[in-house]
Amino acid sequence: MDDIQNKELRPLMVSIKCLAYNHGKFIRKTLEGFVKQKTTFRFEAIVHDDASTDNTAEIIKEYAEKYPEIIKPIYETENQYSKKDESLQRIMDKACNGKYIAFCEGDDYWTDPCKLQKQVDFLETHPDYVMCSHFYREYIEDEKYMCTYVKPFFSENSFSLYDYIKGKWFAHPLTVVYRSSAFNIEECLKYGMSYDVIWFYILLKKGKCWLMPETMAVYRIHSGGVWSRLDSQDKYFFEIKQRLAIYKIEKTEMSVDFILNTMQQRCYSRFLLIKNFLLVCNIFYAIYKYKGMRACIKLLKKLFIYI
């Protein structure tokens, strides 16, 4: 039996979820970050091209042919993301069979060839943790500038659901490896959307997250990025929408705290508050129901100071 067959018989430890759309300028660096990983275990990268109109699919095919034991491509003829029906999430969830799941989109990249090994080693020896993250840098593509600071801005290493509810932001999907047994896509989709705020909420209900004090990835900010092109105000309100989606299902004081703590930490323009008037009304109703009028007035005062 040859080495490749022996490798295929080993348990699959990690499935990397990689979403790509018109990432032809960037995806080589992403894929190089995958194939250069040095591990004692078997891993795969599920690389999903969402009907790109550039050369993204061709580059993925090149790497899939060169590294067939690692790069497992999915090519779409119809864009799944634009359907807004979570088809994309279900496709990726079905394709990933590893004990652990990692993320890296086609315009970002990993910088440490031992990243997966370090994170899996930690999770294998710490059963009370469901995920492990690390620091990362931001690269501003249009300016060709690598930021000198690292994120997240925390000195703590261990994070719980309580910390998350209180407003501590500890991870970027790019940096996370989590136990696949702790996450169910249908549980996620009951909230009506599938984004990182909700992913982390579900995972932290099952255990803790460990933040490794090492910088092992780069998040690329560019004008073509779905998240990057939103201004800060729209990003803030999108995070609020995810927290409200959690409240609508959970209907607990903790889910209200999740909204309230986030609202209190950010500032919002008058235009954005008016634009999202119905959402704001739903938020204040939830706060009033579980926290009372005093909490509503306190938040209103804070908002009016900002606007």
Side-chain angles (χ1 to χ4, degrees), residues 235-267:
K235 287 177 181 177
Y236 292 163
F237 251 88
F238 187 68
E239 291 188 0
I240 294 297
K241 287 178 182 177
Q242 292 181 71
R243 286 160 173 80
L244 185 61
I246 291 171
Y247 164 76
K248 287 180 177 179
I249 297 298
E250 305 278 317
K251 295 194 182 301
T252 62
E253 185 172 359
M254 184 176 69
S255 60
V256 172
D257 285 337
F258 200 18
I259 300 170
L260 186 57
N261 290 329
T262 304
M263 291 287 287
Q264 290 174 338
Q265 291 176 3
R266 307 275 171 82
C267 55

mmCIF file of all heavy atoms in Angstrom, residues 235-267:
data_model
loop_
_atom_site.group_PDB
_atom_site.id
_atom_site.type_symbol
_atom_site.label_atom_id
_atom_site.label_comp_id
_atom_site.label_asym_id
_atom_site.label_seq_id
_atom_site.Cartn_x
_atom_site.Cartn_y
_atom_site.Cartn_z
ATOM 1 N N LYS A 235 -21.801 48.416 9.226
ATOM 2 C CA LYS A 235 -21.250 47.227 9.876
ATOM 3 C C LYS A 235 -21.803 47.083 11.294
ATOM 4 O O LYS A 235 -22.192 45.993 11.711
ATOM 5 C CB LYS A 235 -19.720 47.307 9.925
ATOM 6 C CG LYS A 235 -19.037 47.104 8.594
ATOM 7 C CD LYS A 235 -17.530 47.273 8.722
ATOM 8 C CE LYS A 235 -16.841 47.091 7.380
ATOM 9 N NZ LYS A 235 -15.378 47.328 7.467
ATOM 10 N N TYR A 236 -21.836 48.194 12.024
ATOM 11 C CA TYR A 236 -22.350 48.166 13.389
ATOM 12 C C TYR A 236 -23.799 47.690 13.422
ATOM 13 O O TYR A 236 -24.169 46.837 14.229
ATOM 14 C CB TYR A 236 -22.261 49.564 14.026
ATOM 15 C CG TYR A 236 -20.866 50.062 14.293
ATOM 16 C CD1 TYR A 236 -20.624 51.412 14.522
ATOM 17 C CD2 TYR A 236 -19.774 49.193 14.313
ATOM 18 C CE1 TYR A 236 -19.343 51.887 14.773
ATOM 19 C CE2 TYR A 236 -18.498 49.663 14.555
ATOM 20 C CZ TYR A 236 -18.287 51.006 14.784
ATOM 21 O OH TYR A 236 -17.024 51.465 15.027
ATOM 22 N N PHE A 237 -24.611 48.249 12.522
ATOM 23 C CA PHE A 237 -26.017 47.872 12.555
ATOM 24 C C PHE A 237 -26.241 46.446 12.078
ATOM 25 O O PHE A 237 -27.178 45.782 12.520
ATOM 26 C CB PHE A 237 -26.867 48.860 11.736
ATOM 27 C CG PHE A 237 -27.721 49.723 12.612
ATOM 28 C CD1 PHE A 237 -27.225 50.912 13.122
ATOM 29 C CD2 PHE A 237 -28.988 49.325 12.982
ATOM 30 C CE1 PHE A 237 -27.991 51.692 13.964
ATOM 31 C CE2 PHE A 237 -29.765 50.101 13.817
ATOM 32 C CZ PHE A 237 -29.266 51.292 14.313
ATOM 33 N N PHE A 238 -25.388 45.965 11.206
ATOM 34 C CA PHE A 238 -25.512 44.570 10.786
ATOM 35 C C PHE A 238 -25.228 43.644 11.966
ATOM 36 O O PHE A 238 -25.876 42.607 12.131
ATOM 37 C CB PHE A 238 -24.555 44.267 9.640
ATOM 38 C CG PHE A 238 -24.754 42.892 9.055
ATOM 39 C CD1 PHE A 238 -25.905 42.588 8.351
ATOM 40 C CD2 PHE A 238 -23.801 41.904 9.235
ATOM 41 C CE1 PHE A 238 -26.110 41.315 7.823
ATOM 42 C CE2 PHE A 238 -23.992 40.633 8.710
ATOM 43 C CZ PHE A 238 -25.145 40.337 8.003
ATOM 44 N N GLU A 239 -24.278 44.015 12.809
ATOM 45 C CA GLU A 239 -24.001 43.234 14.013
ATOM 46 C C GLU A 239 -25.196 43.267 14.962
ATOM 47 O O GLU A 239 -25.533 42.256 15.597
ATOM 48 C CB GLU A 239 -22.748 43.759 14.707
ATOM 49 C CG GLU A 239 -21.468 43.491 13.933
ATOM 50 C CD GLU A 239 -20.231 43.847 14.717
ATOM 51 O OE1 GLU A 239 -20.365 44.303 15.875
ATOM 52 O OE2 GLU A 239 -19.122 43.676 14.189
ATOM 53 N N ILE A 240 -25.837 44.430 15.065
ATOM 54 C CA ILE A 240 -27.027 44.553 15.906
ATOM 55 C C ILE A 240 -28.143 43.660 15.375
ATOM 56 O O ILE A 240 -28.868 42.998 16.138
ATOM 57 C CB ILE A 240 -27.503 46.020 15.976
ATOM 58 C CG1 ILE A 240 -26.467 46.890 16.689
ATOM 59 C CG2 ILE A 240 -28.854 46.108 16.682
ATOM 60 C CD1 ILE A 240 -26.223 46.526 18.129
ATOM 61 N N LYS A 241 -28.321 43.630 14.060
ATOM 62 C CA LYS A 241 -29.357 42.787 13.451
ATOM 63 C C LYS A 241 -29.157 41.318 13.815
ATOM 64 O O LYS A 241 -30.127 40.589 14.065
ATOM 65 C CB LYS A 241 -29.346 42.959 11.932
ATOM 66 C CG LYS A 241 -29.910 44.277 11.447
ATOM 67 C CD LYS A 241 -29.816 44.387 9.928
ATOM 68 C CE LYS A 241 -30.332 45.737 9.445
ATOM 69 N NZ LYS A 241 -30.184 45.886 7.972
ATOM 70 N N GLN A 242 -27.912 40.875 13.836
ATOM 71 C CA GLN A 242 -27.641 39.487 14.201
ATOM 72 C C GLN A 242 -28.009 39.223 15.662
ATOM 73 O O GLN A 242 -28.577 38.178 15.995
ATOM 74 C CB GLN A 242 -26.163 39.168 13.973
ATOM 75 C CG GLN A 242 -25.762 39.153 12.507
ATOM 76 C CD GLN A 242 -24.303 38.810 12.327
ATOM 77 O OE1 GLN A 242 -23.882 37.671 12.545
ATOM 78 N NE2 GLN A 242 -23.512 39.796 11.935
ATOM 79 N N ARG A 243 -27.706 40.169 16.521
ATOM 80 C CA ARG A 243 -28.052 40.014 17.939
ATOM 81 C C ARG A 243 -29.565 40.037 18.147
ATOM 82 O O ARG A 243 -30.094 39.298 18.987
ATOM 83 C CB ARG A 243 -27.362 41.114 18.759
ATOM 84 C CG ARG A 243 -25.863 40.874 18.918
ATOM 85 C CD ARG A 243 -25.110 42.153 19.295
ATOM 86 N NE ARG A 243 -23.722 41.880 19.598
ATOM 87 C CZ ARG A 243 -22.763 41.713 18.685
ATOM 88 N NH1 ARG A 243 -23.064 41.787 17.399
ATOM 89 N NH2 ARG A 243 -21.522 41.473 19.058
ATOM 90 N N LEU A 244 -30.261 40.864 17.381
ATOM 91 C CA LEU A 244 -31.723 40.897 17.477
ATOM 92 C C LEU A 244 -32.310 39.581 16.976
ATOM 93 O O LEU A 244 -33.310 39.091 17.529
ATOM 94 C CB LEU A 244 -32.274 42.069 16.669
ATOM 95 C CG LEU A 244 -33.790 42.294 16.769
ATOM 96 C CD1 LEU A 244 -34.201 42.599 18.209
ATOM 97 C CD2 LEU A 244 -34.226 43.442 15.837
ATOM 98 N N ALA A 245 -31.697 38.995 15.945
ATOM 99 C CA ALA A 245 -32.155 37.696 15.439
ATOM 100 C C ALA A 245 -32.032 36.623 16.514
ATOM 101 O O ALA A 245 -32.896 35.756 16.647
ATOM 102 C CB ALA A 245 -31.340 37.303 14.206
ATOM 103 N N ILE A 246 -30.966 36.698 17.303
ATOM 104 C CA ILE A 246 -30.791 35.758 18.415
ATOM 105 C C ILE A 246 -31.880 35.978 19.465
ATOM 106 O O ILE A 246 -32.499 35.028 19.961
ATOM 107 C CB ILE A 246 -29.390 35.918 19.045
ATOM 108 C CG1 ILE A 246 -28.316 35.420 18.070
ATOM 109 C CG2 ILE A 246 -29.300 35.163 20.378
ATOM 110 C CD1 ILE A 246 -26.895 35.723 18.493
ATOM 111 N N TYR A 247 -32.149 37.246 19.776
ATOM 112 C CA TYR A 247 -33.189 37.550 20.769
ATOM 113 C C TYR A 247 -34.555 37.024 20.337
ATOM 114 O O TYR A 247 -35.318 36.479 21.149
ATOM 115 C CB TYR A 247 -33.275 39.058 21.011
ATOM 116 C CG TYR A 247 -34.564 39.455 21.701
ATOM 117 C CD1 TYR A 247 -34.727 39.213 23.070
ATOM 118 C CD2 TYR A 247 -35.629 40.001 20.990
ATOM 119 C CE1 TYR A 247 -35.922 39.522 23.702
ATOM 120 C CE2 TYR A 247 -36.821 40.317 21.614
ATOM 121 C CZ TYR A 247 -36.966 40.066 22.972
ATOM 122 O OH TYR A 247 -38.152 40.364 23.587
ATOM 123 N N LYS A 248 -34.889 37.168 19.065
ATOM 124 C CA LYS A 248 -36.212 36.764 18.579
ATOM 125 C C LYS A 248 -36.460 35.271 18.766
ATOM 126 O O LYS A 248 -37.612 34.837 18.885
ATOM 127 C CB LYS A 248 -36.370 37.154 17.113
ATOM 128 C CG LYS A 248 -36.564 38.654 16.903
ATOM 129 C CD LYS A 248 -36.708 39.001 15.428
ATOM 130 C CE LYS A 248 -36.976 40.483 15.228
ATOM 131 N NZ LYS A 248 -37.095 40.841 13.792
ATOM 132 N N ILE A 249 -35.397 34.484 18.808
ATOM 133 C CA ILE A 249 -35.525 33.048 19.053
ATOM 134 C C ILE A 249 -35.372 32.727 20.537
ATOM 135 O O ILE A 249 -36.162 31.981 21.116
ATOM 136 C CB ILE A 249 -34.475 32.262 18.242
ATOM 137 C CG1 ILE A 249 -34.706 32.468 16.739
ATOM 138 C CG2 ILE A 249 -34.507 30.774 18.589
ATOM 139 C CD1 ILE A 249 -36.028 31.976 16.211
ATOM 140 N N GLU A 250 -34.367 33.317 21.171
ATOM 141 C CA GLU A 250 -34.068 32.986 22.573
ATOM 142 C C GLU A 250 -35.072 33.612 23.538
ATOM 143 O O GLU A 250 -35.481 32.992 24.508
ATOM 144 C CB GLU A 250 -32.652 33.452 22.919
ATOM 145 C CG GLU A 250 -31.567 32.910 22.008
ATOM 146 C CD GLU A 250 -31.120 31.516 22.393
ATOM 147 O OE1 GLU A 250 -30.954 31.260 23.588
ATOM 148 O OE2 GLU A 250 -30.930 30.696 21.485
ATOM 149 N N LYS A 251 -35.371 34.904 23.304
ATOM 150 C CA LYS A 251 -36.272 35.672 24.179
ATOM 151 C C LYS A 251 -35.886 35.520 25.645
ATOM 152 O O LYS A 251 -36.690 35.137 26.506
ATOM 153 C CB LYS A 251 -37.723 35.257 23.948
ATOM 154 C CG LYS A 251 -38.228 35.591 22.547
ATOM 155 C CD LYS A 251 -39.719 35.481 22.440
ATOM 156 C CE LYS A 251 -40.213 35.766 21.030
ATOM 157 N NZ LYS A 251 -39.862 37.105 20.535
ATOM 158 N N THR A 252 -34.627 35.824 25.940
ATOM 159 C CA THR A 252 -34.105 35.764 27.293
ATOM 160 C C THR A 252 -33.454 37.096 27.652
ATOM 161 O O THR A 252 -33.118 37.895 26.766
ATOM 162 C CB THR A 252 -33.040 34.659 27.431
ATOM 163 O OG1 THR A 252 -31.936 34.964 26.550
ATOM 164 C CG2 THR A 252 -33.611 33.294 27.083
ATOM 165 N N GLU A 253 -33.251 37.321 28.942
ATOM 166 C CA GLU A 253 -32.585 38.540 29.387
ATOM 167 C C GLU A 253 -31.146 38.578 28.880
ATOM 168 O O GLU A 253 -30.620 39.636 28.538
ATOM 169 C CB GLU A 253 -32.602 38.633 30.906
ATOM 170 C CG GLU A 253 -32.036 39.949 31.432
ATOM 171 C CD GLU A 253 -32.228 40.118 32.921
ATOM 172 O OE1 GLU A 253 -32.822 39.234 33.556
ATOM 173 O OE2 GLU A 253 -31.772 41.161 33.445
ATOM 174 N N MET A 254 -30.503 37.408 28.791
ATOM 175 C CA MET A 254 -29.130 37.343 28.298
ATOM 176 C C MET A 254 -29.050 37.810 26.852
ATOM 177 O O MET A 254 -28.122 38.536 26.473
ATOM 178 C CB MET A 254 -28.583 35.925 28.419
ATOM 179 C CG MET A 254 -27.121 35.799 28.004
ATOM 180 S SD MET A 254 -26.436 34.150 28.258
ATOM 181 C CE MET A 254 -27.346 33.232 26.993
ATOM 182 N N SER A 255 -30.023 37.436 26.026
ATOM 183 C CA SER A 255 -30.000 37.859 24.622
ATOM 184 C C SER A 255 -30.264 39.358 24.494
ATOM 185 O O SER A 255 -29.774 39.997 23.564
ATOM 186 C CB SER A 255 -30.996 37.050 23.793
ATOM 187 O OG SER A 255 -32.324 37.211 24.266
ATOM 188 N N VAL A 256 -31.013 39.922 25.436
ATOM 189 C CA VAL A 256 -31.207 41.371 25.461
ATOM 190 C C VAL A 256 -29.913 42.062 25.876
ATOM 191 O O VAL A 256 -29.525 43.087 25.305
ATOM 192 C CB VAL A 256 -32.358 41.753 26.419
ATOM 193 C CG1 VAL A 256 -32.422 43.275 26.588
ATOM 194 C CG2 VAL A 256 -33.686 41.232 25.898
ATOM 195 N N ASP A 257 -29.230 41.499 26.864
ATOM 196 C CA ASP A 257 -27.933 42.048 27.280
ATOM 197 C C ASP A 257 -26.953 42.074 26.110
ATOM 198 O O ASP A 257 -26.143 42.995 25.993
ATOM 199 C CB ASP A 257 -27.339 41.203 28.416
ATOM 200 C CG ASP A 257 -28.027 41.442 29.739
ATOM 201 O OD1 ASP A 257 -28.630 42.522 29.904
ATOM 202 O OD2 ASP A 257 -27.960 40.552 30.606
ATOM 203 N N PHE A 258 -27.022 41.067 25.269
ATOM 204 C CA PHE A 258 -26.144 40.972 24.114
ATOM 205 C C PHE A 258 -26.348 42.180 23.189
ATOM 206 O O PHE A 258 -25.391 42.751 22.664
ATOM 207 C CB PHE A 258 -26.435 39.667 23.365
ATOM 208 C CG PHE A 258 -25.329 39.193 22.461
ATOM 209 C CD1 PHE A 258 -24.031 39.654 22.594
ATOM 210 C CD2 PHE A 258 -25.599 38.267 21.471
ATOM 211 C CE1 PHE A 258 -23.009 39.202 21.758
ATOM 212 C CE2 PHE A 258 -24.598 37.795 20.626
ATOM 213 C CZ PHE A 258 -23.307 38.273 20.762
ATOM 214 N N ILE A 259 -27.609 42.572 23.005
ATOM 215 C CA ILE A 259 -27.925 43.750 22.192
ATOM 216 C C ILE A 259 -27.505 45.026 22.912
ATOM 217 O O ILE A 259 -26.823 45.888 22.360
ATOM 218 C CB ILE A 259 -29.433 43.816 21.884
ATOM 219 C CG1 ILE A 259 -29.896 42.587 21.114
ATOM 220 C CG2 ILE A 259 -29.766 45.096 21.111
ATOM 221 C CD1 ILE A 259 -31.407 42.471 20.984
ATOM 222 N N LEU A 260 -27.915 45.137 24.166
ATOM 223 C CA LEU A 260 -27.713 46.361 24.931
ATOM 224 C C LEU A 260 -26.235 46.691 25.097
ATOM 225 O O LEU A 260 -25.815 47.843 24.911
ATOM 226 C CB LEU A 260 -28.385 46.214 26.296
ATOM 227 C CG LEU A 260 -28.406 47.440 27.210
ATOM 228 C CD1 LEU A 260 -29.073 48.620 26.509
ATOM 229 C CD2 LEU A 260 -29.129 47.112 28.503
ATOM 230 N N ASN A 261 -25.434 45.693 25.426
ATOM 231 C CA ASN A 261 -24.003 45.937 25.633
ATOM 232 C C ASN A 261 -23.329 46.412 24.349
ATOM 233 O O ASN A 261 -22.413 47.242 24.389
ATOM 234 C CB ASN A 261 -23.318 44.659 26.143
ATOM 235 C CG ASN A 261 -23.729 44.314 27.559
ATOM 236 O OD1 ASN A 261 -24.021 45.188 28.350
ATOM 237 N ND2 ASN A 261 -23.769 43.029 27.878
ATOM 238 N N THR A 262 -23.788 45.897 23.215
ATOM 239 C CA THR A 262 -23.221 46.327 21.936
ATOM 240 C C THR A 262 -23.661 47.741 21.595
ATOM 241 O O THR A 262 -22.853 48.568 21.157
ATOM 242 C CB THR A 262 -23.645 45.359 20.811
ATOM 243 O OG1 THR A 262 -23.247 44.033 21.162
ATOM 244 C CG2 THR A 262 -22.994 45.743 19.485
ATOM 245 N N MET A 263 -24.942 48.043 21.803
ATOM 246 C CA MET A 263 -25.454 49.384 21.517
ATOM 247 C C MET A 263 -24.737 50.440 22.351
ATOM 248 O O MET A 263 -24.449 51.538 21.869
ATOM 249 C CB MET A 263 -26.955 49.445 21.798
ATOM 250 C CG MET A 263 -27.830 48.653 20.840
ATOM 251 S SD MET A 263 -27.989 49.393 19.206
ATOM 252 C CE MET A 263 -29.053 50.785 19.535
ATOM 253 N N GLN A 264 -24.417 50.116 23.572
ATOM 254 C CA GLN A 264 -23.792 51.081 24.478
ATOM 255 C C GLN A 264 -22.336 51.362 24.137
ATOM 256 O O GLN A 264 -21.790 52.393 24.531
ATOM 257 C CB GLN A 264 -23.900 50.579 25.917
ATOM 258 C CG GLN A 264 -25.315 50.619 26.464
ATOM 259 C CD GLN A 264 -25.428 49.994 27.843
ATOM 260 O OE1 GLN A 264 -24.594 49.178 28.244
ATOM 261 N NE2 GLN A 264 -26.453 50.383 28.581
ATOM 262 N N GLN A 265 -21.715 50.451 23.383
ATOM 263 C CA GLN A 265 -20.297 50.604 23.067
ATOM 264 C C GLN A 265 -20.044 51.365 21.778
ATOM 265 O O GLN A 265 -18.920 51.759 21.499
ATOM 266 C CB GLN A 265 -19.634 49.218 22.949
ATOM 267 C CG GLN A 265 -19.534 48.475 24.264
ATOM 268 C CD GLN A 265 -18.963 47.083 24.080
ATOM 269 O OE1 GLN A 265 -18.591 46.695 22.980
ATOM 270 N NE2 GLN A 265 -18.900 46.334 25.160
ATOM 271 N N ARG A 266 -21.058 51.564 20.998
ATOM 272 C CA ARG A 266 -20.890 52.141 19.674
ATOM 273 C C ARG A 266 -21.635 53.463 19.555
ATOM 274 O O ARG A 266 -22.532 53.770 20.334
ATOM 275 C CB ARG A 266 -21.416 51.165 18.613
ATOM 276 C CG ARG A 266 -20.825 49.765 18.718
ATOM 277 C CD ARG A 266 -19.505 49.671 18.003
ATOM 278 N NE ARG A 266 -18.838 48.412 18.263
ATOM 279 C CZ ARG A 266 -19.107 47.274 17.637
ATOM 280 N NH1 ARG A 266 -20.078 47.228 16.754
ATOM 281 N NH2 ARG A 266 -18.409 46.189 17.897
ATOM 282 N N CYS A 267 -21.274 54.236 18.541
ATOM 283 C CA CYS A 267 -22.008 55.455 18.241
ATOM 284 C C CYS A 267 -22.682 55.312 16.874
ATOM 285 O O CYS A 267 -22.153 54.638 15.987
ATOM 286 C CB CYS A 267 -21.091 56.674 18.256
ATOM 287 S SG CYS A 267 -19.664 56.547 17.165
#
